[in-house]
Amino acid sequence: MIDFEIPEDDRALLDSIDRMMAREFPPEALRKADEAHDTPWHLLPKMGELGLFALPFPEEVGGLGKDWRSAALVNERLAYHAGIAATLFGTTVGFGGMSLLKYGSEAQKRELLPRVMEGRARFALALTESQAGTDAGAIITSARRTASGWVINGRKTWISNADAADYLVVACRTEPGSQGSKGVTMLLVPRQTPGIGMTPLAKVGHHCMPSWDIGFDEVEVGEEALMGEVGQGFKHTMSTLHYSRAGQAANAVGQAQKAVDIAVAYAKERRQFGQAIGSFQAIQHKLADMQVRVNQARLALYHLAWLIATGRPCRLEAAQAKLVATEAFQFVTRNGLQIMASAGYSMESDMQRMWRDAGLYTFGEGSSELQRNLIARELGL
Ligand SMILES: Cc1cc2nc3c(=O)[nH]c(=O)nc-3n(C[C@H](O)[C@H](O)[C@H](O)COP(=O)(O)OP(=O)(O)OC[C@H]3O[C@@H](n4cnc5c(N)ncnc54)[C@H](O)[C@@H]3O)c2cc1C
């Protein structure tokens, strides 16, 4: 049987996250940042000081050599305090660190992994294009080889945190005429390279994580920008997909639990018809269903983390965890709004922010429909 007991050192780490977040990014700061569309970049080095980024990396590259279970717990706890904190953790460890560890060059690892672990490197993944969303294999942004490196041309869209990133991990078609997953190469492009233009995109939620449309106009990078093998970009990305699905699931579980806790506290306090609304069975059943959905999602997440940590196959379980956790997050915030009614709909409420943010998780980084397709395929359909 799988043992979900949280080890003592992980418990201590989670306590230190609670203290750090209360000090560095309390709920009031999160509300203000959301309103001002600010990204709490200051959290990155603070997370680095706690050793959070070093957790899943092997000791030979300076990491702490813990397995993916600890990273999932950390991600979930950060998300409980602020979804954006978990997002910054996930992109730094995932798009940045894990991708570098798995298929980066020795020079890239030497230069960047220490910065990743200290929280001094910012990454953005530039994959999506206007005609290539769920169908990521439809990308047309190209990189042509030159004597000294690559020249990139094309457009990417909806790229999170691109403007403030140090590096863009850009998926480029490097074999002219190739289609789908073949002929795609990942390039690590310094943000300030000449020829990169960015336009901000307005959106409903995730105001702490700005989104950008990016133009690449004859952008020249050296041979050292190559991440992994030429033409194998999709294969490389697929090899880290279970990490990003675990990350999305952990982020959704942490925030969903926060939404349940807020709704329960409100139901105990708010009185109508002379009694707390939490004494009405209609409200109790909603809250019971909400907690059950979060618990189901957490179990799916911990099961996935255990599979990853023990090196077992996990295609179905990665899709499953991402699916149930992100759908649970939407379910609990929608019901949380219903329970809190006008108080939840107010812009001063945390529930409305989480409800707006929850919208993204069921289509970003592989939609619910795609996860169901993958699960059906694993069933041999
Ligand atoms: C706030 C935000 C942040 C983002 N951050 C990034 C980022 O950092 N980097 C990046 O590269 N991209 C990013 N994206 C892009 C995101 O990954 C895409 O929006 C996502 O892949 C979906 O693509 P799409 O929006 O074009 O929808 P589409 O692909 O057009 O999908 C529309 C609908 O069709 C469904 N569908 C499509 N194909 C199938 C199928 N085969 N079977 C069943 N249903 C299907 C989808 O599930 C969806 O419901 C971000 C998007 C947003 C909104």
Side-chain angles (χ1 to χ4, degrees):
M1 289 294 285
I2 307 168
D3 180 2
F4 287 144
E5 181 70 32
I6 300 177
E8 199 45 54
D9 52 346
D10 280 348
R11 277 183 196 283
L13 192 60
L14 297 179
D15 289 346
S16 66
I17 290 174
D18 290 343
R19 287 193 295 275
M20 185 274 285
M21 289 299 289
R23 198 175 55 241
E24 301 293 337
F25 202 51
E28 191 48 39
L30 169 57
R31 279 173 218 132
K32 280 193 184 140
D34 184 69
E35 214 179 303
H37 294 227
D38 279 343
T39 309
W41 287 113
H42 69 284
L43 292 176
L44 240 57
K46 301 291 172 193
M47 292 185 211
E49 279 166 25
L50 290 183
L52 307 189
F53 297 121
L55 281 174
F57 294 100
E59 287 169 24
E60 53 272 25
V61 297
L64 293 171
K66 301 274 284 180
D67 65 41
W68 208 254
R69 283 170 285 202
S70 303
L73 289 170
V74 163
N75 202 330
E76 180 190 350
R77 184 59 65 92
L78 286 168
Y80 186 83
H81 291 286
I84 182 63
T87 300
L88 294 178
F89 174 76
T91 48
T92 307
V93 167
F95 301 157
M98 275 296 148
S99 306
L100 284 169
L101 183 73
K102 282 251 170 187
Y103 53 88
S105 68
E106 285 311 313
Q108 286 165 345
K109 286 186 209 174
R110 236 189 346 268
E111 192 200 327
L112 288 172
L113 280 181
R115 284 175 58 189
V116 164
M117 286 182 243
E118 287 167 19
R120 288 189 299 108
R122 302 175 183 182
F123 296 92
L125 175 71
L127 174 63
T128 303
E129 299 177 10
S130 58
Q131 78 295 342
T134 307
D135 182 11
I139 64 160
I140 53 175
T141 291
S142 67
R144 69 170 192 277
R145 241 201 162 124
T146 62
S148 58
W150 305 87
V151 176
I152 308 169
N153 280 289
R155 285 206 90 74
K156 297 285 179 183
T157 193
W158 285 109
I159 310 307
S160 305
N161 292 330
D163 192 43
D166 299 313
Y167 292 96
L168 308 172
V169 180
V170 189
C172 301
R173 199 159 282 291
T174 46
E175 280 172 34
S178 65
Q179 284 183 341
S181 59
K182 297 207 172 73
V184 171
T185 300
M186 305 307 282
L187 296 177
L188 188 66
V189 180
R191 156 69 186 100
Q192 297 305 335
T193 312
I196 297 178
M198 295 206 187
T199 316
L201 298 170
K203 59 186 190 288
V204 172
H206 288 272
H207 291 167
C208 292
M209 183 186 77
S211 302
W212 299 86
D213 199 76
I214 312 181
F216 294 86
D217 181 12
E218 290 288 295
V219 173
E220 287 182 43
V221 287
E223 196 55 53
E224 73 285 353
L226 178 64
M227 261 183 103
E229 289 173 57
V230 175
Q232 300 298 313
F234 261 93
K235 210 170 104 191
H236 292 321
T237 306
M238 295 299 135
S239 73
T240 57
L241 220 54
H242 45 300
Y243 299 129
S244 63
R245 298 219 160 118
Q248 289 274 306
N251 195 332
V253 168
Q255 292 191 75
Q257 185 63 61
K258 180 63 159 279
V260 175
D261 292 352
I262 290 172
V264 168
Y266 186 79
K268 286 179 181 167
E269 209 171 88
R270 172 70 175 167
R271 296 180 73 80
Q272 288 292 279
F273 300 97
Q275 50 191 308
I277 60 166
S279 66
F280 300 132
Q281 197 181 49
I283 300 290
Q284 290 174 357
H285 283 189
K286 272 195 188 27
L287 288 165
D289 286 345
M290 287 159 70
Q291 187 59 65
V292 167
R293 289 285 293 267
V294 178
N295 288 346
Q296 288 170 337
R298 184 178 289 113
L299 285 174
L301 166 67
Y302 289 3
H303 182 208
L304 171 62
W306 176 79
L307 291 170
I308 295 174
T310 53
R312 290 173 160 84
C314 60
R315 261 209 294 263
L316 185 150
E317 292 81 1
Q320 171 178 271
K322 203 266 178 188
L323 177 70
V324 298
T326 57
E327 295 200 342
F329 186 25
Q330 283 192 351
F331 178 84
V332 301
T333 51
R334 197 172 62 242
N335 281 282
L337 267 193
Q338 189 64 22
I339 291 166
M340 295 180 72
S342 57
Y345 208 60
S346 158
M347 285 310 276
E348 286 172 18
S349 152
D350 291 326
M351 192 61 78
Q352 57 77 24
R353 187 193 62 251
M354 287 192 280
W355 172 66
R356 284 187 285 112
D357 288 354
L360 168 66
Y361 289 81
T362 52
F363 68 84
E365 288 194 45
S367 66
S368 284
E369 289 79 5
L370 192 78
Q371 306 309 327
R372 288 189 168 89
N373 289 351
L374 290 168
I375 293 168
R377 204 177 304 152
E378 289 298 307
L379 297 177
L381 297 166

